[in-house]
Every structure is written in structure tokens, then in C-alpha cells.
Amino acid sequence: MAATPIAVITGASSGIGAATARQLAAAGYRVVLTARRKDRIETLAAEITAAGHQATAYALDVTDRAAVDEFATAFRSLAVLVNNAGGALGADPVATGDPADWRQMYETNVIGTLNVTQALLPSLTASGDGTVVILSSTAGLSTYEGGGGYVAAKHGEHVLAETLRLEIVGTPVRVIEVAPGMVKTEEFATTRFRGDTEKAAKVYAGVDAPLSADDVADTITWAVTRPSHVNIDLLVVRPRAQASNSKVHRTP
């Protein structure tokens, strides 16, 4: 009997990462949940296991290369890697933005994705049918005021995906990029505004049905479960109310 394919999801402690873990587990993968918050991923792994699926939690900081390399030794063969760990900090203009915020966003979104992808690429290749998913953002495709640092990081992540696809063509590994627009999760905007829930709420004010974490997870799961010869290079997904990063329909 064939072994259950394994999917690693980074940033699985909440939001899109947690939703993706649930949906890939339901699709028949043994999911390995990674994040810094061990209690969160252990609770999620228990929930997924209780639902009759397979899940394991592993506390991991994707910016710690030594820890990532140690984590990678557990896998001789790996079916899917979902690079979801990331996030935004602040909404200051370029003229006054904090370089420390820019650095942290680059380290998490770009270097974190690079670390995990480099470490697990041999196992993905060894599977004979591997998939790398990079969860970027529409911020990686066009800019907006107040988003300079996050936009720069997500552009870097987009280019990483595009370049990797060129460099490994001919190997049995797909590179899929999913770029969501406005997604309302429990933490993204609140983290960006350092716990200011009033500012976070204004991001979604008047927007009829922004995307949910489940919407994006459904998109990721659909792309991953296409036949092996089908590669979804780049999939942009937005709510109907959002035409671009700066054009959003809001009701009073």
C-alpha cells in the first residue's frame, strides 16, 4: 500500500496556514504543522487527528536556518511544501518607515521561504512528484501607499517563486504561487497595526465579504491537487469587492 503523502505547512498556527492544514488533511495528506507558537499547532494537530486525519506539530522559526535544517532531516520524501509563514508590520510611508520593520518582513517572508524551500527541496525531488507552494500576495505584483516594506518583501517572494520555477524545470517538482488580495483573518491586520484593533477594523470597513482564510486554503488545495503535469504558475484571488490593491468598493 502506498504511503500517505506528506504536506508541510509553515505558519500553521492561525489564519490561512491553519485553514490550509485542515483542508489538505481532509484531502488525504499527512500534514506537518510548523509555527513558532507550539501550543497553537499542537491544538490544531489534535483537532485534525480527532477528525480522523493525520497531523503532527513541530515548533519552528523559519528564519532560524539551523533549526530549519534540523527539521528537514526528518524527511526523505515529501509531497508538498506550503510556504505560508510571513506577515506585515506597519503602514508607514517610505519616508518614515522603520528599517527594523522592513528587515523583519524581509527575513520572514523572503528569507524564511528561502530557508525552508532550500532545506526541503531534496526531499520534494526525491518524492518524484513534489509541489512547492509559495503564498505571496497581490502586494507582490503591484504597490500601494503605506505598504512599501511589505510590498518589497512580497515582490521578493514573487521573484523567488518565478526564478525557482525556471531553475528546476525538468525536475519532478512544481512551483505554485498563490497571491491573495484582501483576506480577513483573526490576526493579519491586528499584527500589522501592533494590536490596534480599531485600525485593523478600518481595513475591512464597508467591504462586502472580503476573502476568508478558508477561501484561500480552498484555492491552495485545488492547485495542489491538480494532476501532476498541471502547474498553476500564478493564481491571483481577490474578493469581488476588490478590483486592485487601491480600488475597493465600500458601502457606507
Side-chain angles (χ1 to χ4, degrees):
M1 188 168 64
T4 303
I6 301 171
V8 169
I9 302 102
T10 70
S13 58
S14 65
I16 294 170
T20 300
R22 292 186 182 100
Q23 292 199 27
L24 285 178
Y29 289 88
R30 178 162 73 86
V31 293
V32 179
L33 319 175
T34 74
R36 290 175 298 176
R37 294 178 294 186
K38 186 179 180 183
D39 58 331
R40 289 282 195 100
I41 54 175
E42 286 180 341
T43 298
L44 178 58
E47 173 200 317
I48 291 171
T49 301
H53 309 305
Q54 299 180 59
T56 304
Y58 190 102
L60 182 68
D61 179 350
V62 297
T63 67
D64 183 340
R65 185 52 188 259
V68 170
D69 286 341
E70 182 180 353
F71 169 69
T73 62
F75 305 97
R76 283 188 290 181
S77 179
L78 179 65
V80 177
L81 164 62
V82 179
N83 285 295
N84 167 73
L89 287 174
D92 300 312
V94 172
T96 57
D98 187 344
D101 287 346
W102 283 56
R103 187 172 294 110
Q104 185 173 338
M105 284 186 281
Y106 191 86
E107 285 286 337
T108 306
N109 290 279
V110 184
I111 302 302
T113 295
L114 178 67
N115 283 342
V116 180
T117 301
Q118 285 184 338
L120 292 177
L121 193 56
S123 299
L124 288 157
T125 305
S127 75
D129 188 16
T131 299
V132 176
V133 178
I134 292 178
L135 190 75
S136 62
S137 167
T138 54
L141 307 174
S142 61
T143 191
Y144 58 92
E145 294 165 287
Y150 182 62
V151 167
K154 285 301 182 182
H155 270 69
E157 203 170 9
H158 167 66
V159 169
L160 189 161
E162 207 169 55
T163 306
L164 177 64
R165 191 180 302 113
L166 293 172
E167 291 172 345
I168 66 171
V169 67
T171 71
V173 179
R174 303 181 293 183
V175 180
I176 294 170
E177 180 183 358
V178 175
M182 181 181 286
V183 185
K184 186 176 183 180
T185 64
E186 67 268 30
E187 293 188 334
F188 180 84
T190 304
T191 299
R192 182 170 205 165
F193 295 111
R194 295 177 172 81
D196 189 327
T197 54
E198 186 175 339
K199 279 187 178 181
K202 287 180 180 178
V203 172
Y204 312 105
V207 178
D208 180 24
L211 296 178
S212 69
D214 283 331
D215 292 329
V216 181
D218 183 56
T219 302
I220 293 169
T221 302
W222 175 83
V224 166
T225 54
R226 293 313 84 207
S228 299
H229 69 287
V230 177
N231 195 101
I232 308 300
D233 284 16
L234 171 62
L235 198 162
V236 176
V237 53
R238 302 181 195 268
R240 185 173 62 186
Q242 184 184 33
S244 75
N245 287 346
S246 56
K247 181 71 172 180
V248 180
H249 177 70
R250 300 177 189 269
T251 56

